[in-house]
């Protein structure tokens, strides 16, 4: 009986361990968590690494491909196959809005959904992140020539208040939301910039 009991306890704990891991992945520390780092550059890098939890989540990466096709769900190829089109809104006969409406649409009797937003589209090719080290994403994010022409103040607004970015925290059933909240992501962005917007080396 003892091996059976041991196995039962193990099987019981496995889902709890998975849940704990999932819950941990959804946490996001605020700027105050890095206040003890005295060197501004080091604190700035640490803050951006925390931002990386959001940036490298599927909610951001899926719509920041370096090629012509987005990903979906938690980082799998988009089905049906689609392309970005001339302006990131899809091909003329298959625009993003063909399937993506103004808000997430749950499937009936299912734990799945189609995410949505009034301006659902891909980020420009110049803002492609997939496959890049976090340090390169950071440099790219600071370059107006590759970040959609955003100033630092506009970048804070984009990360902290833009509605399409915000959909990463309300992706609909069947998807893991981005860690933390958009408000916290915006606060981290502001703190990162105010400490010098330093980038990780990799």
């Amino acid at each position: 009986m003892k091996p059976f009991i041991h196995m039962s306890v193990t099987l019981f704990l496995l889902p709890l361990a998975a849940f704990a891991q999932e819950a941990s992945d959804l946490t996001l520390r605020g700027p105050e968590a890095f206040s003890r780092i005295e060197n501004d550059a080091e604190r700035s890098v640490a803050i951006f690494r925390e931002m990386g939890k959001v940036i490298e989540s599927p909610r951001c990466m899926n719509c920041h491909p370096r090629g012509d096709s987005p990903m979906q769900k938690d980082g799998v190829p988009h089905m049906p196959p689609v392309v970005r089109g001339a302006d990131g809104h899809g091909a003329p006969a298959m625009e993003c809005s063909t399937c993506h409406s103004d808000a997430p649409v749950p499937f009936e009797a299912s734990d799945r959904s189609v995410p949505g937003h009034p301006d659902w589209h891909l980020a420009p090719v110049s803002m492609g992140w997939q496959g890049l080290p976090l340090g390169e994403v950071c440099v790219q994010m600071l370059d107006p020539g590759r970040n959609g022409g955003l100033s630092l103040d506009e970048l804070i607004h984009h990360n902290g208040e833009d509605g399409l970015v915000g959909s990463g925290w309300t992706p609909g059933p069947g998807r893991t939301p981005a860690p933390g909240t958009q408000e916290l992501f915006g606060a981290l962005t502001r703190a990162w910039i105010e400490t010098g917007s330093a980038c990780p080396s990799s």
Side-chain angles (χ1 to χ4, degrees), residues 32-160:
E32 67 282 352
F34 308 93
S35 60
R36 293 188 178 184
I37 303 176
E38 295 183 2
N39 181 277
D40 279 352
E42 292 177 4
R43 185 162 69 254
S44 191
V45 167
I47 291 170
F48 192 83
R49 288 196 183 281
E50 191 70 10
M51 291 170 58
K53 292 181 180 180
V54 174
I55 293 166
E56 294 183 328
S57 76
R59 300 289 70 79
C60 284
M61 284 293 178
N62 284 358
C63 292
H64 281 263
R66 294 167 67 195
D68 285 333
S69 298
M71 305 293 275
Q72 67 178 24
K73 299 180 181 176
D74 283 350
V76 299
H78 194 287
M79 290 299 295
V82 294
V83 295
R84 69 167 59 251
D87 61 357
H89 286 78
M94 188 79 170
E95 293 188 347
C96 302
S97 58
T98 302
C99 296
H100 297 276
S101 59
D102 289 355
V105 178
F107 295 154
E108 290 188 20
S110 172
D111 61 353
R112 299 167 57 203
S113 63
V114 178
H117 180 271
D119 191 28
W120 193 267
H121 66 276
L122 287 180
V125 175
S126 64
M127 295 171 67
W129 294 345
Q130 288 177 357
L132 293 181
L134 186 60
E136 289 188 31
V137 175
C138 179
V139 173
Q140 184 181 31
M141 192 177 287
L142 288 170
D143 181 358
R146 294 186 293 164
N147 74 1
L150 300 179
S151 67
L152 294 181
D153 284 341
E154 290 169 333
L155 184 59
I156 294 170
H157 174 81
H158 177 74
N159 286 356

Side-chain angles (χ1 to χ4, degrees), residues 15-32:
L16 292 180
F19 176 80
Q21 178 64 41
E22 183 177 335
S24 174
D25 291 343
L26 291 175
T27 61
L28 193 68
R29 294 176 292 172
E32 67 282 352

